[in-house]
Amino acid sequence: MRRYNRPIMELLQPDAPGIDRAARALAGGLLVAIPTETVYGLGANAFDAVAVARVFEVKRRPGFDPLIVHIADISGLALVASFPNALAERLAEAFWPGPLTLILPRTPRVPALVTSGLDTVAVRMPAHPVARAIIRAAGVPVAAPSANPFGYLSPTRAEHVVRMLGDAIDFVVDGGATDIGVESTVLDVTGERPLILRPGGLPRAAIEAVVGPVDLVDRVSETPTSPGQLASHYAPRASLHLVAEGALPDASIGEGEGLVFFSEASRAAYRARRGSCGPRVTERILSPGGDLREAAAALFVVLHELDEAGVAGIWAERVPAEGLGLAVNDRLWKASTKQ
Ligand code: AMP
Ligand code: MG
């Protein structure tokens, strides 16, 4: 009998023995959280419907939300999907391994649970050497959503996973802080023109440089085709108020609240306007120098910290809407309280 409820989650190092144990556990139907360059994924053997069912259970993820299948090498693609056109192939060539997820026609081998019954499957080849080594050694494609409870902040460190899911999963491979810090860009290439379903770690401009214009789905769409489009997602426990860049209010920030600035410059401007907020306001800066890559990598870390600090509310400003700033603003918007 398989052990579905190990009494204790085990932390593994990203070395040869750790990779070997993680791979064997995955192949054997256990759940292993693995580091990728975007966020930590909660991995299960994609061909093992029971293991995949447990992913939904552990995340409390609604059954309609399909998972991303991760492969180590291009030779692993044929088992799960095919390229519908030359454009899709060009994108894979240009950006895999990397933070791009492609929606592709699936093979019959992929369990319906993985795709929520769709005839397409989301596939990505992660760039993280530990993730690829584990998937390669497991010898199976790995279905892996972000390793967090559904709707909550994504994990960018092993300790985030341990805190959120540690009592419910089998292993966590500690690969340190993730490099990119926001999820992959999800691109549907099955239609006439490529469509970004979720902005993410690969900027739209990088995609357009290879294949020309791509569309970006309307994120307030009433009927999401991709649950990453759900209006409320990636949210902290505290209510998050999102304002325009440079527009953090002077007056409404109260005791025990948290403030998220894009850069040191925006904090300085705010301070010049308002003076100090007092010791009971917790301030965080996404990137002192105003670098969007750094801001993306810091985003979930900062929100986790504020939640851990037990702040009553969070005030955050948007970042410049270019490059990775699009993904940062998207996650901030989804984490925010809408009136
Ligand atoms: P996560 O599992 O948190 O990394 O998010 C995966 C994202 O990919 C979600 O927004 C899913 O809805 C989306 N996705 C996965 N498979 C499909 C598919 N076949 N069609 C459209 N979106 C998908
Ligand atoms: Mg997720």
Side-chain angles (χ1 to χ4, degrees), residues 59 61 145-146 148 154 183 198 233-234:
K59 280 186 63 91
R61 186 169 173 132
S146 49
N148 54 322
S154 293
E183 298 81 355
R198 173 178 79 181
H233 212 74
Y234 314 110

Side-chain angles (χ1 to χ4, degrees), residues 207-286:
I207 298 170
E208 292 188 325
V210 173
V211 293
V214 300
D215 293 322
L216 177 63
V217 86
D218 170 15
R219 63 185 179 178
V220 232
S221 148
E222 297 260 317
T223 48
T225 51
S226 180
Q229 293 165 237
L230 289 176
S232 184
H233 212 74
Y234 314 110
R237 284 189 298 267
S239 319
L240 187 146
H241 311 277
L242 181 62
V243 301
E245 194 186 353
L248 285 165
D250 303 349
S252 7
I253 314 281
E255 293 254 308
E257 300 206 277
L259 267 176
V260 181
F261 296 100
F262 169 47
S263 63
E264 183 55 58
S266 56
R267 177 166 74 167
Y270 181 79
R271 283 272 182 90
R273 265 199 340 257
R274 165 174 184 160
S276 164
C277 290
R280 296 215 47 238
V281 170
T282 310
E283 296 183 358
R284 287 288 184 280
I285 296 174
L286 293 181

Side-chain angles (χ1 to χ4, degrees), residues 27 33 51 69 87 96 107 112 144 172 180 187 198 201 214 238 245 276 278 316 333:
V69 173
L87 181 141
W96 279 358
T107 65
V172 178
I180 294 175
L187 187 70
R198 173 178 79 181
V214 300
E245 194 186 353
S276 164
W333 183 78

Side-chain angles (χ1 to χ4, degrees), residues 61 65-68 103 118 120-122 144-146 183 186 197-198 225-229:
R61 186 169 173 132
D65 197 357
L67 307 180
I68 296 174
I103 306 296
L118 297 171
T120 54
V121 60
S146 49
E183 298 81 355
V186 178
L197 300 178
R198 173 178 79 181
T225 51
S226 180
Q229 293 165 237

Side-chain angles (χ1 to χ4, degrees), residues 137-171:
V140 291
V142 172
S146 49
N148 54 322
F150 182 75
Y152 192 63
L153 300 171
S154 293
T156 59
R157 295 184 176 180
E159 71 217 46
H160 295 160
V161 183
V162 172
R163 200 165 62 222
M164 295 188 292
L165 299 178
D167 53 357
I169 66 178
D170 304 302
F171 294 97

